[in-house]
Amino acid sequence: MPRSRLLVAALTVAATLPASAAADPITAVPTAAPAFAGATAVPQPVPAAPVPRHPFMAPNERSNLHNDGYQTDSNRRTGPLGRGITTTSGQYAGVCGSVTFDARGRIVTVCVGVTAVTLRLLDPRTLESLTEYELPPRRTGLGNPFQNFTGGGYFYLDHEDRAVLGTSDRRLLVIGHADGEGFRVQREVSLAQVIPDGDAIISILPDWDGRYWVATRDGRVITVGRDDGTVRVLDTGEPNGNSFAVGEDGVYIVTDAAMYRFEAAADGTPTVVWRVVYPNDGTRKPGQTQQGSGTTPTLMGPDLVAITDNADPIDVVVYRRARTVTGERELCRAPVFAKGASSSDQSLLTDGTNLVVENNHGYEGPQAVLAGVTTRPGLARVDVDRAARTCTVRWTADVTAPSVVPKLALGSGLVYTYTKPGGDPTDPWFLTTLDYRTGETVYDALAGSGPLFNNNYAPVTIGPDGTAYVGVIGGLVALRDDRPSGVEPSPEVTIASPLDAPAARVRQPQVTLDCGRRRTIVVGTTDPRARLLTVRRGRRTARDGRRPLRLRVRAGTALTVRVRLAGGVVRTLRVPGSRCRR
């Protein structure tokens, strides 16, 4: 059967099979490929820079496709080590790509089919569907449907376990779920007045003040007030095919033309802090969804942001994040993979100091990897030296990962990717692990065979119990060890940056706590460098960005006080059980 007809037949099966309460396994093509090859991994934890918990997102590693607001694609704990790996799959009509976890460890995911888009709550062990919510169907006429991520493919889980996403009919939805009630829309904001017909929402994330930020395919950057729903827009006029990163110091978006840092003005309007043009030969390389960088920006520690450019071969490029810098904003760059065979449409992963990049050259959709065909190989680690301002390729692995977002398990020192070797007409797909230090393959575990096990740009996601999940065209696959690893989380390390006003050398701002009225405390700072004062008490957060920076809070409870300084440096003070003594 020709590859195109085989693909159509497989997708027809995926779209018509019912999603039963107990998940049906994904239909696989019989294969002689080995279920496991390699050796059990010996954990070698990787120290990493701490990634602060975003106050308006679910805990790190549970909140979104790229793990946290910094988009590090790294996990403190370990994934499967290769000890008696078992595989479970759930047949659903679409790629269940973005996998998040609520406070009870249940999976919240959006499954995106050729037309249908469904929000689902799944059992993390059996992949049984517990409840679901039909979202507006995907729109036609927006190009290759297998390279179109609008309509809910990107979403995040907020601090109240609610899914926040953009729909194909240009709405922002906040959807909660409760036992016995299923999913329920708790907030809805129409953005049709600022997103014209023909444009579409790529991704939505909150800034550290709780304001919603929206990025569209045509390059519009939109904010929505968390409390009043006020909508503000800035049109860059530059196409965008990626999600974005949110740090305490701003919002980082890369378009097909430039890398940006944004902040919100006093009225919420998106404002450009800085913009830098990256090298771009103007072509859409095979494996990319647009004519520019294919990466969601990745924040590295308190001071850097990294992307790939669109040169030939592509470069990993690292920029300094500060509002103003002395000298060049670009810290360093390093070319990766071979000229004429180099492209990436996946986010970089980081431990805060170094990066891993994947080669997707040749992937144009499921038809590109049928009947034993595959793409160009390559995963590479790039080491970043802040003091020397250099990027150096440490290793390049000859493995073929057509379109997955790889993940780094810091607890084990393993990179998890999803590979498809060429030459086997049964099209087996494997969860593949690499040693983060050397790039050597540790093991390959068979996820399944045939076109329904193609992940089509979905990531590997490492769950709270160490299970590795991969969204595939047929639904969702889970691979896990037959027993827990017992590996402790990786240690955190402080990055001492030599750049401009490094966090490690910035003088701690003075914060005062004075008695207020009726058992309250006034928290303030007169430090001339201070730009934003934030006080968190339990689940309540207050902010002040107007001088003099002062906030009144209830006495008698523990406080977390955060001061953002000029240049983006943030300092945190924890006050246990504050009391007011006169």
Side-chain angles (χ1 to χ4, degrees):
M1 180 182 294
R3 285 197 290 160
S4 59
R5 290 178 59 193
L6 178 63
L7 175 61
V8 170
L11 294 180
T12 300
V13 170
T16 57
L17 279 178
S20 61
D24 292 323
I26 298 172
T27 302
V29 173
T31 183
F36 184 88
T40 301
V42 176
Q44 300 181 67
V46 175
V51 178
R53 159 78 185 274
H54 194 297
F56 294 97
M57 297 175 72
N60 291 352
E61 305 174 16
R62 297 188 180 211
S63 64
N64 79 108
L65 186 156
H66 296 300
N67 286 22
D68 45 55
Y70 279 24
Q71 312 291 50
T72 64
D73 289 298
S74 294
N75 294 69
R76 290 275 162 202
R77 293 190 178 272
T78 177
L81 299 176
R83 300 188 299 197
I85 285 184
T86 60
T87 303
T88 305
S89 66
Q91 171 81 61
Y92 296 108
V95 180
C96 305
S98 292
V99 175
T100 67
F101 303 89
D102 69 8
R104 293 173 55 181
R106 298 174 298 184
I107 292 172
V108 182
T109 185
V110 173
C111 302
V112 181
V114 177
T115 57
V117 184
T118 309
L119 176 66
R120 296 185 183 276
L121 181 70
L122 304 181
D123 182 286
R125 301 293 297 184
T126 67
L127 305 185
E128 172 188 354
S129 182
L130 305 176
T131 190
E132 62 187 66
Y133 183 89
E134 291 295 328
L135 294 163
R138 301 177 76 191
R139 298 178 60 196
T140 59
L142 294 178
N144 184 345
F146 296 104
Q147 294 185 321
N148 172 16
F149 310 130
T150 63
Y154 284 113
F155 81 98
Y156 76 92
L157 205 64
D158 76 4
H159 59 301
E160 298 182 34
D161 274 350
R162 302 176 300 181
V164 182
L165 51 86
T167 64
S168 61
D169 56 1
R170 294 165 289 167
R171 288 180 295 155
L172 181 157
L173 296 184
V174 180
I175 305 176
H177 63 272
D179 291 343
E181 299 180 7
F183 287 111
R184 181 169 59 88
V185 175
Q186 297 183 357
R187 187 173 186 184
E188 175 181 343
V189 180
S190 174
L191 299 175
Q193 72 275 22
V194 294
I195 303 176
D197 191 24
D199 196 1
I201 297 171
I202 285 282
S203 185
I204 299 175
L205 286 171
D207 64 20
W208 287 61
D209 295 324
R211 184 183 295 106
Y212 299 111
W213 287 69
V214 182
T216 77
R217 277 171 52 110
D218 287 351
R220 291 175 176 82
V221 179
I222 300 162
T223 60
V224 180
R226 182 172 189 84
D227 298 322
D228 59 12
T230 301
V231 176
R232 297 284 186 264
V233 62
L234 181 150
D235 188 355
T236 67
E238 301 163 1
N240 175 21
N242 305 292
S243 187
F244 53 96
V246 285
E248 306 97 314
D249 54 350
V251 173
Y252 293 85
I253 296 176
V254 60
T255 68
D256 283 4
M259 176 71 220
Y260 287 85
R261 172 180 159 184
F262 291 95
E263 288 181 357
D267 67 351
T269 300
T271 303
V272 176
V273 177
W274 54 257
R275 175 184 184 272
V276 59
V277 175
Y278 58 83
N280 190 340
D281 64 10
T283 64
R284 187 184 69 81
K285 299 174 175 61
Q288 293 181 189
T289 61
Q290 69 276 345
Q291 297 177 353
S293 171
T295 52
T296 293
T298 298
L299 304 187
M300 304 173 63
D303 53 352
L304 302 178
V305 58
I307 60 169
T308 61
D309 63 16
N310 196 31
D312 185 16
I314 61 170
D315 297 290
V316 170
V317 189
V318 180
Y319 298 107
R320 296 187 280 170
R321 279 164 39 193
R323 177 179 293 275
T324 58
V325 297
T326 302
E328 296 293 326
R329 183 162 296 280
E330 181 183 306
L331 179 79
C332 60
R333 70 174 57 221
V336 287
F337 316 123
K339 184 177 178 62
S342 172
S343 71
S344 185
D345 208 77
Q346 303 298 351
S347 181
L348 306 169
L349 62 81
T350 187
D351 59 9
T353 300
N354 308 307
L355 299 153
V356 172
V357 59
E358 176 184 282
N359 192 9
N360 303 135
H361 195 278
Y363 188 80
E364 297 284 85
Q367 72 283 356
V369 288
L370 287 175
V373 178
T374 194
T375 58
R376 296 298 186 104
L379 264 78
R381 172 171 159 173
V382 176
D383 288 2
V384 179
D385 187 323
R386 286 169 163 83
R389 302 191 177 191
T390 59
C391 292
T392 305
V393 177
R394 178 165 174 172
W395 51 254
T396 299
D398 189 29
V399 297
T400 304
S403 69
V404 74
V405 182
K407 292 293 168 70
L408 170 60
L410 298 162
S412 59
L414 296 177
V415 176
Y416 289 83
T417 186
Y418 195 64
T419 61
K420 182 187 183 296
D424 189 335
T426 64
D427 294 332
W429 292 81
F430 297 89
L431 179 71
T432 297
T433 59
L434 307 178
D435 186 312
Y436 179 64
R437 292 171 172 82
T438 66
E440 295 179 356
T441 297
V442 179
Y443 71 78
D444 297 292
L446 180 66
S449 52
L452 296 185
F453 286 89
N454 180 349
N455 68 292
N456 193 63
Y457 294 104
V460 176
T461 299
I462 299 175
D465 66 350
T467 298
Y469 299 91
V470 183
V472 296
I473 287 174
L476 186 65
V477 180
L479 300 97
R480 56 176 61 91
D481 286 337
D482 60 4
R483 61 189 183 280
S485 68
V487 178
E488 292 298 316
S490 120
E492 292 186 344
V493 296
T494 300
I495 292 176
S497 170
L499 308 176
D500 297 313
R505 300 179 185 176
V506 173
R507 184 181 74 256
Q508 185 80 359
Q510 294 297 311
V511 176
T512 60
L513 286 81
D514 300 318
C515 291
R517 301 188 302 272
R518 297 180 181 177
R519 299 182 181 178
T520 62
I521 284 180
V522 177
V523 182
T525 180
T526 58
D527 193 302
R529 303 165 301 163
R531 297 294 182 267
L532 179 68
L533 174 68
T534 304
V535 178
R536 187 170 185 179
R537 179 174 60 85
R539 301 184 71 174
R540 296 180 177 273
T541 302
R543 292 172 176 78
D544 185 16
R546 295 185 178 183
R547 296 180 181 278
L549 301 180
R550 286 197 297 254
L551 290 167
R552 186 185 302 274
V553 297
R554 185 182 300 276
T557 57
L559 305 176
T560 299
V561 182
R562 183 181 287 113
V563 182
R564 189 170 76 196
L565 305 177
V569 174
V570 176
R571 288 303 200 184
T572 301
L573 171 69
R574 290 177 176 83
V575 184
S578 55
R579 293 286 185 269
C580 189
R581 297 185 177 88
R582 294 190 180 276

